[in-house]
mmCIF file of all heavy atoms in Angstrom:
data_model
loop_
_atom_site.group_PDB
_atom_site.id
_atom_site.type_symbol
_atom_site.label_atom_id
_atom_site.label_comp_id
_atom_site.label_asym_id
_atom_site.label_seq_id
_atom_site.Cartn_x
_atom_site.Cartn_y
_atom_site.Cartn_z
ATOM 1 N N SER R 1 1.091 5.053 -6.701
ATOM 2 C CA SER R 1 0.670 6.227 -5.956
ATOM 3 C C SER R 1 1.429 6.431 -4.644
ATOM 4 O O SER R 1 1.394 7.526 -4.079
ATOM 5 C CB SER R 1 -0.833 6.168 -5.666
ATOM 6 O OG SER R 1 -1.151 5.061 -4.842
ATOM 7 N N VAL R 2 2.127 5.405 -4.160
ATOM 8 C CA VAL R 2 2.844 5.531 -2.893
ATOM 9 C C VAL R 2 4.351 5.424 -3.051
ATOM 10 O O VAL R 2 5.081 5.592 -2.066
ATOM 11 C CB VAL R 2 2.362 4.494 -1.865
ATOM 12 C CG1 VAL R 2 0.849 4.555 -1.706
ATOM 13 C CG2 VAL R 2 2.812 3.090 -2.243
ATOM 14 N N LYS R 3 4.831 5.168 -4.248
ATOM 15 C CA LYS R 3 6.268 5.047 -4.473
ATOM 16 C C LYS R 3 6.983 6.336 -4.077
ATOM 17 O O LYS R 3 6.563 7.426 -4.428
ATOM 18 C CB LYS R 3 6.560 4.723 -5.936
ATOM 19 C CG LYS R 3 6.216 3.308 -6.337
ATOM 20 C CD LYS R 3 6.548 3.045 -7.802
ATOM 21 C CE LYS R 3 6.219 1.620 -8.188
ATOM 22 N NZ LYS R 3 6.475 1.369 -9.629
ATOM 23 N N GLY R 4 8.063 6.187 -3.332
ATOM 24 C CA GLY R 4 8.817 7.335 -2.862
ATOM 25 C C GLY R 4 8.302 7.920 -1.574
ATOM 26 O O GLY R 4 8.986 8.752 -0.959
ATOM 27 N N ARG R 5 7.112 7.521 -1.138
ATOM 28 C CA ARG R 5 6.530 8.035 0.095
ATOM 29 C C ARG R 5 6.395 6.961 1.171
ATOM 30 O O ARG R 5 6.569 7.244 2.352
ATOM 31 C CB ARG R 5 5.152 8.642 -0.168
ATOM 32 C CG ARG R 5 5.164 9.809 -1.147
ATOM 33 C CD ARG R 5 3.808 10.505 -1.188
ATOM 34 N NE ARG R 5 2.736 9.611 -1.641
ATOM 35 C CZ ARG R 5 1.669 9.291 -0.922
ATOM 36 N NH1 ARG R 5 1.517 9.804 0.301
ATOM 37 N NH2 ARG R 5 0.736 8.484 -1.406
ATOM 38 N N PHE R 6 6.052 5.747 0.761
ATOM 39 C CA PHE R 6 5.855 4.645 1.693
ATOM 40 C C PHE R 6 7.033 3.683 1.616
ATOM 41 O O PHE R 6 7.663 3.527 0.562
ATOM 42 C CB PHE R 6 4.578 3.872 1.373
ATOM 43 C CG PHE R 6 3.294 4.611 1.642
ATOM 44 C CD1 PHE R 6 3.283 5.963 1.936
ATOM 45 C CD2 PHE R 6 2.088 3.932 1.600
ATOM 46 C CE1 PHE R 6 2.094 6.636 2.181
ATOM 47 C CE2 PHE R 6 0.893 4.590 1.840
ATOM 48 C CZ PHE R 6 0.900 5.941 2.134
ATOM 49 N N SER R 7 7.301 3.007 2.722
ATOM 50 C CA SER R 7 8.361 2.020 2.770
ATOM 51 C C SER R 7 7.915 0.838 3.623
ATOM 52 O O SER R 7 7.516 1.020 4.772
ATOM 53 C CB SER R 7 9.645 2.625 3.336
ATOM 54 O OG SER R 7 10.674 1.667 3.407
ATOM 55 N N ILE R 8 7.978 -0.354 3.058
ATOM 56 C CA ILE R 8 7.630 -1.560 3.783
ATOM 57 C C ILE R 8 8.902 -2.237 4.271
ATOM 58 O O ILE R 8 9.923 -2.257 3.578
ATOM 59 C CB ILE R 8 6.794 -2.519 2.902
ATOM 60 C CG1 ILE R 8 6.248 -3.690 3.726
ATOM 61 C CG2 ILE R 8 7.589 -3.005 1.702
ATOM 62 C CD1 ILE R 8 5.238 -4.546 2.967
ATOM 63 N N SER R 9 8.854 -2.782 5.475
ATOM 64 C CA SER R 9 9.992 -3.486 6.043
ATOM 65 C C SER R 9 9.484 -4.569 6.977
ATOM 66 O O SER R 9 8.296 -4.611 7.311
ATOM 67 C CB SER R 9 10.927 -2.516 6.779
ATOM 68 O OG SER R 9 10.254 -1.902 7.869
ATOM 69 N N ARG R 10 10.376 -5.441 7.400
ATOM 70 C CA ARG R 10 9.971 -6.495 8.321
ATOM 71 C C ARG R 10 11.088 -6.814 9.291
ATOM 72 O O ARG R 10 12.273 -6.665 8.989
ATOM 73 C CB ARG R 10 9.526 -7.749 7.555
ATOM 74 C CG ARG R 10 10.616 -8.429 6.743
ATOM 75 C CD ARG R 10 10.011 -9.461 5.782
ATOM 76 N NE ARG R 10 9.256 -10.486 6.489
ATOM 77 C CZ ARG R 10 8.384 -11.309 5.929
ATOM 78 N NH1 ARG R 10 8.135 -11.221 4.623
ATOM 79 N NH2 ARG R 10 7.746 -12.216 6.660
ATOM 80 N N ASP R 11 10.687 -7.253 10.467
ATOM 81 C CA ASP R 11 11.602 -7.706 11.500
ATOM 82 C C ASP R 11 11.123 -9.096 11.888
ATOM 83 O O ASP R 11 10.219 -9.247 12.713
ATOM 84 C CB ASP R 11 11.604 -6.763 12.696
ATOM 85 C CG ASP R 11 12.645 -7.128 13.737
ATOM 86 O OD1 ASP R 11 13.125 -8.273 13.741
ATOM 87 O OD2 ASP R 11 12.984 -6.257 14.567
ATOM 88 N N ASN R 12 11.706 -10.100 11.277
ATOM 89 C CA ASN R 12 11.225 -11.460 11.477
ATOM 90 C C ASN R 12 11.413 -11.945 12.915
ATOM 91 O O ASN R 12 10.639 -12.779 13.393
ATOM 92 C CB ASN R 12 11.924 -12.413 10.506
ATOM 93 C CG ASN R 12 11.488 -12.203 9.073
ATOM 94 O OD1 ASN R 12 10.445 -11.609 8.810
ATOM 95 N ND2 ASN R 12 12.282 -12.690 8.132
ATOM 96 N N ALA R 13 12.420 -11.427 13.610
ATOM 97 C CA ALA R 13 12.635 -11.806 14.999
ATOM 98 C C ALA R 13 11.474 -11.371 15.886
ATOM 99 O O ALA R 13 11.225 -11.972 16.927
ATOM 100 C CB ALA R 13 13.944 -11.225 15.518
ATOM 101 N N LYS R 14 10.778 -10.303 15.480
ATOM 102 C CA LYS R 14 9.630 -9.797 16.226
ATOM 103 C C LYS R 14 8.301 -10.200 15.609
ATOM 104 O O LYS R 14 7.245 -9.774 16.087
ATOM 105 C CB LYS R 14 9.697 -8.273 16.331
ATOM 106 C CG LYS R 14 10.902 -7.756 17.088
ATOM 107 C CD LYS R 14 10.889 -6.238 17.167
ATOM 108 C CE LYS R 14 12.074 -5.719 17.952
ATOM 109 N NZ LYS R 14 12.081 -4.233 18.026
ATOM 110 N N ASN R 15 8.346 -11.000 14.553
ATOM 111 C CA ASN R 15 7.134 -11.405 13.832
ATOM 112 C C ASN R 15 6.303 -10.195 13.419
ATOM 113 O O ASN R 15 5.074 -10.205 13.525
ATOM 114 C CB ASN R 15 6.288 -12.357 14.680
ATOM 115 C CG ASN R 15 6.919 -13.719 14.845
ATOM 116 O OD1 ASN R 15 7.775 -14.125 14.057
ATOM 117 N ND2 ASN R 15 6.501 -14.449 15.865
ATOM 118 N N THR R 16 6.976 -9.167 12.939
ATOM 119 C CA THR R 16 6.321 -7.902 12.664
ATOM 120 C C THR R 16 6.721 -7.356 11.299
ATOM 121 O O THR R 16 7.891 -7.437 10.908
ATOM 122 C CB THR R 16 6.652 -6.865 13.746
ATOM 123 O OG1 THR R 16 6.220 -7.356 15.021
ATOM 124 C CG2 THR R 16 5.953 -5.543 13.471
ATOM 125 N N VAL R 17 5.748 -6.800 10.601
ATOM 126 C CA VAL R 17 5.989 -6.083 9.362
ATOM 127 C C VAL R 17 5.505 -4.650 9.553
ATOM 128 O O VAL R 17 4.528 -4.400 10.275
ATOM 129 C CB VAL R 17 5.294 -6.771 8.171
ATOM 130 C CG1 VAL R 17 3.777 -6.780 8.348
ATOM 131 C CG2 VAL R 17 5.691 -6.107 6.863
ATOM 132 N N TYR R 18 6.190 -3.699 8.928
ATOM 133 C CA TYR R 18 5.903 -2.285 9.103
ATOM 134 C C TYR R 18 5.574 -1.629 7.771
ATOM 135 O O TYR R 18 6.011 -2.075 6.708
ATOM 136 C CB TYR R 18 7.098 -1.555 9.714
ATOM 137 C CG TYR R 18 7.586 -2.139 11.014
ATOM 138 C CD1 TYR R 18 8.637 -3.048 11.028
ATOM 139 C CD2 TYR R 18 7.009 -1.772 12.225
ATOM 140 C CE1 TYR R 18 9.095 -3.585 12.220
ATOM 141 C CE2 TYR R 18 7.459 -2.305 13.418
ATOM 142 C CZ TYR R 18 8.498 -3.209 13.415
ATOM 143 O OH TYR R 18 8.954 -3.743 14.594
ATOM 144 N N LEU R 19 4.818 -0.557 7.856
ATOM 145 C CA LEU R 19 4.602 0.311 6.713
ATOM 146 C C LEU R 19 4.835 1.744 7.171
ATOM 147 O O LEU R 19 4.014 2.313 7.893
ATOM 148 C CB LEU R 19 3.188 0.160 6.140
ATOM 149 C CG LEU R 19 2.915 0.960 4.863
ATOM 150 C CD1 LEU R 19 3.735 0.394 3.700
ATOM 151 C CD2 LEU R 19 1.432 0.951 4.511
ATOM 152 N N GLN R 20 5.970 2.306 6.780
ATOM 153 C CA GLN R 20 6.280 3.699 7.076
ATOM 154 C C GLN R 20 5.655 4.568 5.997
ATOM 155 O O GLN R 20 5.948 4.394 4.814
ATOM 156 C CB GLN R 20 7.796 3.910 7.122
ATOM 157 C CG GLN R 20 8.217 5.353 7.370
ATOM 158 C CD GLN R 20 7.859 5.822 8.756
ATOM 159 O OE1 GLN R 20 8.081 5.115 9.741
ATOM 160 N NE2 GLN R 20 7.285 7.021 8.856
ATOM 161 N N MET R 21 4.806 5.495 6.401
ATOM 162 C CA MET R 21 4.077 6.339 5.470
ATOM 163 C C MET R 21 4.469 7.790 5.702
ATOM 164 O O MET R 21 4.231 8.338 6.776
ATOM 165 C CB MET R 21 2.571 6.158 5.639
ATOM 166 C CG MET R 21 2.111 4.711 5.522
ATOM 167 S SD MET R 21 0.309 4.534 5.588
ATOM 168 C CE MET R 21 0.006 5.090 7.270
ATOM 169 N N ASN R 22 5.066 8.399 4.700
ATOM 170 C CA ASN R 22 5.497 9.786 4.766
ATOM 171 C C ASN R 22 4.748 10.621 3.733
ATOM 172 O O ASN R 22 4.173 10.093 2.785
ATOM 173 C CB ASN R 22 7.007 9.894 4.518
ATOM 174 C CG ASN R 22 7.829 9.133 5.523
ATOM 175 O OD1 ASN R 22 7.509 9.080 6.711
ATOM 176 N ND2 ASN R 22 8.931 8.536 5.056
ATOM 177 N N SER R 23 4.787 11.933 3.920
ATOM 178 C CA SER R 23 4.149 12.871 2.994
ATOM 179 C C SER R 23 2.706 12.480 2.707
ATOM 180 O O SER R 23 2.261 12.444 1.560
ATOM 181 C CB SER R 23 4.952 12.955 1.689
ATOM 182 O OG SER R 23 6.281 13.379 1.935
ATOM 183 N N LEU R 24 1.976 12.199 3.750
ATOM 184 C CA LEU R 24 0.604 11.727 3.601
ATOM 185 C C LEU R 24 -0.307 12.810 3.039
ATOM 186 O O LEU R 24 -0.140 13.993 3.327
ATOM 187 C CB LEU R 24 0.067 11.248 4.944
ATOM 188 C CG LEU R 24 0.634 9.905 5.416
ATOM 189 C CD1 LEU R 24 0.381 9.716 6.899
ATOM 190 C CD2 LEU R 24 0.017 8.761 4.616
ATOM 191 N N THR R 25 -1.265 12.373 2.246
ATOM 192 C CA THR R 25 -2.270 13.249 1.661
ATOM 193 C C THR R 25 -3.651 12.724 2.014
ATOM 194 O O THR R 25 -3.803 11.567 2.411
ATOM 195 C CB THR R 25 -2.129 13.324 0.133
ATOM 196 O OG1 THR R 25 -2.595 12.103 -0.454
ATOM 197 C CG2 THR R 25 -0.682 13.559 -0.274
ATOM 198 N N PRO R 26 -4.693 13.554 1.881
ATOM 199 C CA PRO R 26 -6.048 13.069 2.165
ATOM 200 C C PRO R 26 -6.437 11.858 1.333
ATOM 201 O O PRO R 26 -7.281 11.065 1.774
ATOM 202 C CB PRO R 26 -6.929 14.283 1.828
ATOM 203 C CG PRO R 26 -6.047 15.452 2.103
ATOM 204 C CD PRO R 26 -4.682 15.017 1.652
ATOM 205 N N GLU R 27 -5.842 11.688 0.156
ATOM 206 C CA GLU R 27 -6.133 10.530 -0.683
ATOM 207 C C GLU R 27 -5.633 9.228 -0.072
ATOM 208 O O GLU R 27 -6.019 8.145 -0.522
ATOM 209 C CB GLU R 27 -5.530 10.714 -2.078
ATOM 210 C CG GLU R 27 -6.234 11.774 -2.938
ATOM 211 C CD GLU R 27 -5.984 13.192 -2.447
ATOM 212 O OE1 GLU R 27 -4.851 13.488 -2.005
ATOM 213 O OE2 GLU R 27 -6.918 14.008 -2.497
ATOM 214 N N ASP R 28 -4.783 9.313 0.932
ATOM 215 C CA ASP R 28 -4.302 8.125 1.621
ATOM 216 C C ASP R 28 -5.254 7.661 2.714
ATOM 217 O O ASP R 28 -5.024 6.611 3.324
ATOM 218 C CB ASP R 28 -2.921 8.377 2.235
ATOM 219 C CG ASP R 28 -1.859 8.648 1.186
ATOM 220 O OD1 ASP R 28 -1.812 7.901 0.182
ATOM 221 O OD2 ASP R 28 -1.070 9.598 1.372
ATOM 222 N N THR R 29 -6.294 8.421 2.988
ATOM 223 C CA THR R 29 -7.267 8.053 4.014
ATOM 224 C C THR R 29 -7.949 6.745 3.635
ATOM 225 O O THR R 29 -8.519 6.621 2.551
ATOM 226 C CB THR R 29 -8.309 9.157 4.195
ATOM 227 O OG1 THR R 29 -7.678 10.331 4.712
ATOM 228 C CG2 THR R 29 -9.398 8.722 5.158
ATOM 229 N N ALA R 30 -7.881 5.772 4.523
ATOM 230 C CA ALA R 30 -8.446 4.451 4.255
ATOM 231 C C ALA R 30 -8.256 3.569 5.476
ATOM 232 O O ALA R 30 -7.549 3.934 6.424
ATOM 233 C CB ALA R 30 -7.768 3.804 3.041
ATOM 234 N N ILE R 31 -8.890 2.415 5.441
ATOM 235 C CA ILE R 31 -8.564 1.362 6.384
ATOM 236 C C ILE R 31 -7.434 0.552 5.770
ATOM 237 O O ILE R 31 -7.541 0.099 4.625
ATOM 238 C CB ILE R 31 -9.767 0.455 6.680
ATOM 239 C CG1 ILE R 31 -10.919 1.266 7.262
ATOM 240 C CG2 ILE R 31 -9.373 -0.654 7.642
ATOM 241 C CD1 ILE R 31 -12.193 0.462 7.460
ATOM 242 N N TYR R 32 -6.369 0.382 6.516
ATOM 243 C CA TYR R 32 -5.202 -0.340 6.031
ATOM 244 C C TYR R 32 -5.172 -1.741 6.627
ATOM 245 O O TYR R 32 -5.309 -1.923 7.835
ATOM 246 C CB TYR R 32 -3.921 0.415 6.393
ATOM 247 C CG TYR R 32 -3.670 1.600 5.506
ATOM 248 C CD1 TYR R 32 -4.462 2.741 5.605
ATOM 249 C CD2 TYR R 32 -2.658 1.583 4.545
ATOM 250 C CE1 TYR R 32 -4.256 3.829 4.774
ATOM 251 C CE2 TYR R 32 -2.441 2.670 3.715
ATOM 252 C CZ TYR R 32 -3.254 3.795 3.836
ATOM 253 O OH TYR R 32 -3.037 4.873 3.013
ATOM 254 N N TYR R 33 -4.987 -2.724 5.755
ATOM 255 C CA TYR R 33 -5.003 -4.125 6.144
ATOM 256 C C TYR R 33 -3.650 -4.774 5.889
ATOM 257 O O TYR R 33 -3.058 -4.595 4.827
ATOM 258 C CB TYR R 33 -6.058 -4.897 5.348
ATOM 259 C CG TYR R 33 -7.477 -4.436 5.571
ATOM 260 C CD1 TYR R 33 -8.037 -3.456 4.771
ATOM 261 C CD2 TYR R 33 -8.256 -4.998 6.574
ATOM 262 C CE1 TYR R 33 -9.342 -3.032 4.960
ATOM 263 C CE2 TYR R 33 -9.559 -4.582 6.767
ATOM 264 C CZ TYR R 33 -10.101 -3.601 5.962
ATOM 265 O OH TYR R 33 -11.400 -3.191 6.155
ATOM 266 N N CYS R 34 -3.205 -5.527 6.849
ATOM 267 C CA CYS R 34 -2.031 -6.365 6.702
ATOM 268 C C CYS R 34 -2.456 -7.729 6.185
ATOM 269 O O CYS R 34 -3.538 -8.222 6.529
ATOM 270 C CB CYS R 34 -1.326 -6.488 8.057
ATOM 271 S SG CYS R 34 0.095 -7.592 8.095
ATOM 272 N N ALA R 35 -1.633 -8.347 5.356
ATOM 273 C CA ALA R 35 -1.968 -9.641 4.787
ATOM 274 C C ALA R 35 -0.729 -10.519 4.677
ATOM 275 O O ALA R 35 0.390 -10.026 4.544
ATOM 276 C CB ALA R 35 -2.598 -9.459 3.406
ATOM 277 N N ALA R 36 -0.948 -11.829 4.717
ATOM 278 C CA ALA R 36 0.121 -12.814 4.595
ATOM 279 C C ALA R 36 -0.228 -13.800 3.498
ATOM 280 O O ALA R 36 -1.391 -14.170 3.328
ATOM 281 C CB ALA R 36 0.332 -13.540 5.915
ATOM 282 N N ALA R 37 0.790 -14.247 2.772
ATOM 283 C CA ALA R 37 0.588 -15.151 1.657
ATOM 284 C C ALA R 37 1.672 -16.212 1.609
ATOM 285 O O ALA R 37 2.826 -15.952 1.968
ATOM 286 C CB ALA R 37 0.558 -14.377 0.336
ATOM 287 N N ARG R 38 1.307 -17.388 1.137
ATOM 288 C CA ARG R 38 2.261 -18.486 1.034
ATOM 289 C C ARG R 38 3.158 -18.355 -0.187
ATOM 290 O O ARG R 38 4.241 -18.943 -0.212
ATOM 291 C CB ARG R 38 1.521 -19.822 0.991
ATOM 292 C CG ARG R 38 0.747 -20.136 2.269
ATOM 293 C CD ARG R 38 0.138 -21.526 2.195
ATOM 294 N NE ARG R 38 -0.582 -21.873 3.423
ATOM 295 C CZ ARG R 38 -1.878 -21.697 3.598
ATOM 296 N NH1 ARG R 38 -2.624 -21.189 2.627
ATOM 297 N NH2 ARG R 38 -2.444 -22.042 4.747
ATOM 298 N N THR R 39 2.718 -17.637 -1.192
ATOM 299 C CA THR R 39 3.541 -17.378 -2.362
ATOM 300 C C THR R 39 3.667 -15.878 -2.563
ATOM 301 O O THR R 39 2.812 -15.100 -2.123
ATOM 302 C CB THR R 39 2.954 -18.016 -3.632
ATOM 303 O OG1 THR R 39 1.722 -17.372 -3.970
ATOM 304 C CG2 THR R 39 2.715 -19.505 -3.424
ATOM 305 N N TYR R 40 4.739 -15.471 -3.249
ATOM 306 C CA TYR R 40 4.982 -14.050 -3.426
ATOM 307 C C TYR R 40 3.876 -13.394 -4.247
ATOM 308 O O TYR R 40 3.408 -12.307 -3.907
ATOM 309 C CB TYR R 40 6.334 -13.811 -4.086
ATOM 310 C CG TYR R 40 6.690 -12.348 -4.205
ATOM 311 C CD1 TYR R 40 6.953 -11.589 -3.067
ATOM 312 C CD2 TYR R 40 6.765 -11.727 -5.445
ATOM 313 C CE1 TYR R 40 7.265 -10.247 -3.165
ATOM 314 C CE2 TYR R 40 7.087 -10.379 -5.547
ATOM 315 C CZ TYR R 40 7.334 -9.649 -4.407
ATOM 316 O OH TYR R 40 7.650 -8.314 -4.509
ATOM 317 N N SER R 41 3.436 -14.041 -5.308
ATOM 318 C CA SER R 41 2.417 -13.444 -6.161
ATOM 319 C C SER R 41 1.104 -13.224 -5.406
ATOM 320 O O SER R 41 0.401 -12.241 -5.643
ATOM 321 C CB SER R 41 2.182 -14.301 -7.402
ATOM 322 O OG SER R 41 1.713 -15.593 -7.056
ATOM 323 N N ARG R 42 0.773 -14.112 -4.505
ATOM 324 C CA ARG R 42 -0.454 -13.956 -3.736
ATOM 325 C C ARG R 42 -0.372 -12.821 -2.732
ATOM 326 O O ARG R 42 -1.404 -12.308 -2.287
ATOM 327 C CB ARG R 42 -0.819 -15.263 -3.030
ATOM 328 C CG ARG R 42 -1.279 -16.363 -3.979
ATOM 329 C CD ARG R 42 -1.512 -17.682 -3.245
ATOM 330 N NE ARG R 42 -2.619 -17.618 -2.309
ATOM 331 C CZ ARG R 42 -3.900 -17.799 -2.623
ATOM 332 N NH1 ARG R 42 -4.233 -18.073 -3.878
ATOM 333 N NH2 ARG R 42 -4.830 -17.721 -1.694
ATOM 334 N N SER R 43 0.819 -12.396 -2.372
ATOM 335 C CA SER R 43 0.976 -11.329 -1.394
ATOM 336 C C SER R 43 0.465 -9.993 -1.914
ATOM 337 O O SER R 43 0.173 -9.095 -1.118
ATOM 338 C CB SER R 43 2.444 -11.188 -0.961
ATOM 339 O OG SER R 43 3.247 -10.673 -2.007
ATOM 340 N N TYR R 44 0.357 -9.838 -3.233
ATOM 341 C CA TYR R 44 -0.173 -8.605 -3.794
ATOM 342 C C TYR R 44 -1.423 -8.839 -4.643
ATOM 343 O O TYR R 44 -1.889 -7.909 -5.311
ATOM 344 C CB TYR R 44 0.892 -7.855 -4.611
ATOM 345 C CG TYR R 44 1.574 -8.650 -5.701
ATOM 346 C CD1 TYR R 44 1.007 -8.768 -6.963
ATOM 347 C CD2 TYR R 44 2.807 -9.262 -5.476
ATOM 348 C CE1 TYR R 44 1.637 -9.483 -7.964
ATOM 349 C CE2 TYR R 44 3.443 -9.974 -6.478
ATOM 350 C CZ TYR R 44 2.862 -10.081 -7.719
ATOM 351 O OH TYR R 44 3.501 -10.791 -8.722
ATOM 352 N N THR R 45 -1.964 -10.040 -4.607
ATOM 353 C CA THR R 45 -3.184 -10.341 -5.351
ATOM 354 C C THR R 45 -4.267 -10.933 -4.451
ATOM 355 O O THR R 45 -5.318 -10.315 -4.229
ATOM 356 C CB THR R 45 -2.905 -11.298 -6.514
ATOM 357 O OG1 THR R 45 -2.264 -12.492 -6.025
ATOM 358 C CG2 THR R 45 -1.993 -10.639 -7.546
ATOM 359 N N ASN R 46 -4.023 -12.121 -3.941
ATOM 360 C CA ASN R 46 -5.026 -12.839 -3.154
ATOM 361 C C ASN R 46 -4.370 -13.489 -1.943
ATOM 362 O O ASN R 46 -4.144 -14.694 -1.926
ATOM 363 C CB ASN R 46 -5.721 -13.877 -4.034
ATOM 364 C CG ASN R 46 -6.866 -14.589 -3.351
ATOM 365 O OD1 ASN R 46 -7.151 -15.740 -3.643
ATOM 366 N ND2 ASN R 46 -7.535 -13.907 -2.430
#
């Protein structure tokens, strides 16, 4: 649902990750949470 509109990036020197959100729609209304994971699979699951 966000492909082509959102872009994730990171700046490790600043210990920061970003989410650029373009072409927003009312369906994007939500509380957005940042998360960290020790493995790649957990970064999008648990």
Side-chain angles (χ1 to χ4, degrees):
S1 63
V2 307
K3 287 181 179 177
R5 300 189 298 120
F6 291 11
S7 179
I8 189 171
S9 62
R10 64 193 301 164
D11 186 341
N12 290 341
K14 297 181 179 179
N15 290 339
T16 301
V17 63
Y18 305 95
L19 185 68
Q20 178 68 45
M21 305 185 295
N22 300 323
S23 301
L24 286 163
T25 74
E27 289 71 38
D28 296 314
T29 295
I31 301 175
Y32 283 71
Y33 298 91
C34 176
R38 296 185 178 94
T39 67
Y40 184 68
S41 62
R42 290 175 66 84
S43 70
Y44 54 85
T45 55
N46 185 210

